[in-house]
Amino acid sequence: MGGCGRVGLPLGIAFAARGLSVVLYDINADAVATVNAAQLPFAEPGAAEPLAEAVAAGRLRATTDPASVGSSEHLVVVVGTPVDEHLNPDLGAVPRALERCAEHLRDGQLVVLRSTVYPGVTALTEKLLAGKGIRADVAFCPERIAEGRAMTELFALPQIVAARTPAALARAEKLFRHLTEQIVPLEPEEAELAKLFTNTWRYIKFATANQFWMMANDFGLDFARIRHAVAYDYPRAADLPMPGFAAGPCLFKDTMQLAAFNRNNFVLGHSAMLINEGLPLYLVSRLEDRFDLSEMTVGILGMAFKGGSDDPRESLAYKLRKILALKTRETLCTDPYVADERFVDLPEVLRRADLLVIAAPHEQYARLETDTPLIDMWGLTGQGVRV
């Protein structure tokens, strides 16, 4: 297994819980030590107990030794696949990970790519291994979990399994049937697009809700009431989300990967990016219409990229903080899950702030008792979402 991160570790725990012997190879020594101590390096509900059981039973261990990959029958590659500063996909992320341990790979292994990849990276991996004279089967089986639901969704969701040959497909299917009987077979390029389509679809849905919210807001209307009427007992509109920051390490990045794949001819995806990435600027402009921010201390509640998470990666709360820092007398940040020496405790924020903005919808903020003006675009407090 590749990685002690938010994708690799839950998958390793799930396989170990089903009786397989799992070794997690990671270059982060601190994460490796934490896992070997039967502790989670991040929050993931339902993972702590099976991790402790797997470590105690000897079914799961972590290491920084790249030679460990040579002893496995199945090698699952889990690495980040970012876009660069020009929004171009990094096609080398998976090949670089394999290059680090290439001398230890051997004939007969099944190499499974689990990361979301640019279309063609599975074929690139096949060529890389063949060029090194390694006769291995290659499959692409994308992760489909949401952070915070891994230990449920790994067993409940169908697994997409894709490979070039019947033999590789059969091996990958057998591996993932340890988790679920629901297998969806595809060609590698189909599966690569299926994963990108999935994340992009969510990103576009969030952009739609955010655009609708801005429209209603600009006319002084409460989008929460409108959305309730649209979706109430009406299944064709039931998936319309509430507004809020659409962020994190996947959705924006994968929308840009899909745009690059289509020769940057993706008006819908780029429009979604402009809406979602522009939301902090829109929010601050609305606040400036109502308040003299230059005379105010503003408290930002929640710095994670989504509610209930301790993951701050690509969180738009930081973009909001950057904009407010230019506009306000002082900006304070707090989060019950994200550790940062620059943050202050919630009681201090409530005491000092003249204005509060919920940037991550942690459930703790739904029950706040405060007379300070509170901006809640998520509808978390049930008091409407007009700003």
Side-chain angles (χ1 to χ4, degrees):
M1 294 290 307
C4 293
R6 294 174 185 269
V7 174
L9 179 55
L11 183 61
I13 294 171
F15 278 136
R18 291 296 170 88
L20 278 69
S21 177
V22 177
V23 176
L24 299 169
Y25 164 56
D26 200 301
I27 61 175
N28 185 334
D30 290 339
V32 165
T34 300
V35 170
N36 284 333
Q39 300 293 319
L40 289 170
F42 50 83
E44 184 60 55
E49 184 175 341
L51 169 63
E53 292 175 353
V55 171
R59 291 194 304 273
L60 185 146
R61 66 181 179 87
T63 181
T64 58
D65 182 6
S68 62
V69 304
S71 62
S72 64
E73 179 183 356
H74 309 100
L75 174 63
V76 182
V77 181
V78 181
V79 295
T81 53
V83 291
D84 65 18
E85 67 273 20
H86 305 294
L87 305 183
N88 296 314
D90 180 1
L91 303 184
V94 171
R96 283 195 301 272
L98 288 170
E99 288 280 4
R100 279 198 296 267
C101 57
E103 63 182 294
H104 306 292
L105 300 177
R106 56 182 175 79
D107 293 347
Q109 287 182 301
L110 171 67
V111 177
V112 176
L113 307 187
R114 190 70 170 169
S115 307
T116 306
V117 298
Y118 184 82
V121 167
T122 305
L124 185 63
T125 301
E126 292 167 338
K127 288 190 287 187
L128 171 68
L129 296 177
K132 293 182 175 297
I134 301 169
R135 295 187 296 276
D137 289 321
V138 177
F140 176 58
C141 307
E143 61 87 10
R144 312 184 79 192
I145 59 172
E147 282 187 24
R149 303 177 189 171
M151 302 315 297
T152 298
E153 293 186 344
L154 279 167
F155 302 107
L157 294 180
Q159 292 286 330
I160 293 175
V161 173
R164 193 83 53 201
T165 67
L169 186 67
R171 291 183 69 185
E173 180 176 334
K174 181 179 179 181
L175 174 63
F176 282 95
R177 283 196 184 278
H178 286 94
L179 304 181
T180 178
E181 285 299 313
Q182 299 184 82
I183 301 295
V184 182
L186 289 175
E187 293 294 321
E189 289 73 24
E190 292 174 332
E192 289 167 340
L193 277 181
K195 176 57 180 175
L196 291 179
F197 285 172
T198 298
N199 283 357
T200 300
W201 175 237
R202 284 177 56 77
Y203 194 66
I204 290 171
K205 281 204 297 186
F206 293 143
T208 302
N210 286 331
Q211 182 82 86
F212 286 172
W213 173 63
M214 288 187 272
M215 287 180 182
N217 218 37
D218 287 343
F219 282 89
L221 302 173
D222 188 346
F223 174 77
R225 288 171 54 84
I226 299 169
R227 177 187 173 275
H228 172 74
V230 168
Y232 181 73
D233 203 17
Y234 192 70
R236 287 190 289 279
D239 62 343
L240 176 61
M242 286 291 284
F245 290 152
C250 297
L251 302 187
F252 165 76
K253 176 261 296 184
D254 291 340
T255 302
M256 294 302 98
Q257 289 205 91
L258 189 58
F261 172 72
N262 203 46
R263 301 176 295 279
N264 280 323
N265 180 21
F266 191 20
V267 174
L268 193 58
H270 286 124
S271 297
M273 175 190 69
L274 294 175
I275 294 166
N276 289 332
E277 289 292 308
L279 194 57
L281 283 164
Y282 171 83
L283 180 60
V284 173
S285 73
R286 292 291 300 185
L287 295 179
E288 286 184 297
D289 291 340
R290 290 180 53 187
F291 305 99
D292 181 3
L293 295 181
S294 65
E295 298 296 324
M296 302 182 77
T297 294
V298 177
I300 301 177
L301 308 182
M303 301 300 291
F305 84 84
K306 69 174 185 175
S309 172
D310 64 346
D311 189 350
R313 290 179 297 168
E314 311 304 325
S315 170
L316 286 175
Y318 290 85
K319 190 170 187 175
L320 177 66
R321 181 183 68 176
K322 191 178 298 184
I323 300 166
L324 286 173
L326 297 173
K327 307 282 187 177
T328 63
R329 182 178 62 205
E330 185 180 14
T331 301
L332 306 174
C333 300
T334 188
D335 194 289
Y337 306 114
V338 179
D340 190 313
E341 62 183 13
R342 298 169 293 180
F343 297 173
V344 296
D345 292 337
L346 178 61
E348 182 177 351
V349 173
L350 296 179
R351 177 174 58 83
R352 294 172 53 190
D354 305 304
L355 175 65
L356 300 169
V357 181
I358 298 177
H362 297 316
E363 57 90 18
Q364 294 93 327
Y365 303 146
R367 304 182 300 273
L368 284 180
E369 294 184 5
T370 179
D371 295 326
T372 303
L374 176 64
I375 305 302
D376 174 23
M377 62 182 161
W378 309 85
L380 187 67
T381 60
Q383 302 301 309
V385 296
R386 280 184 295 181
V387 175

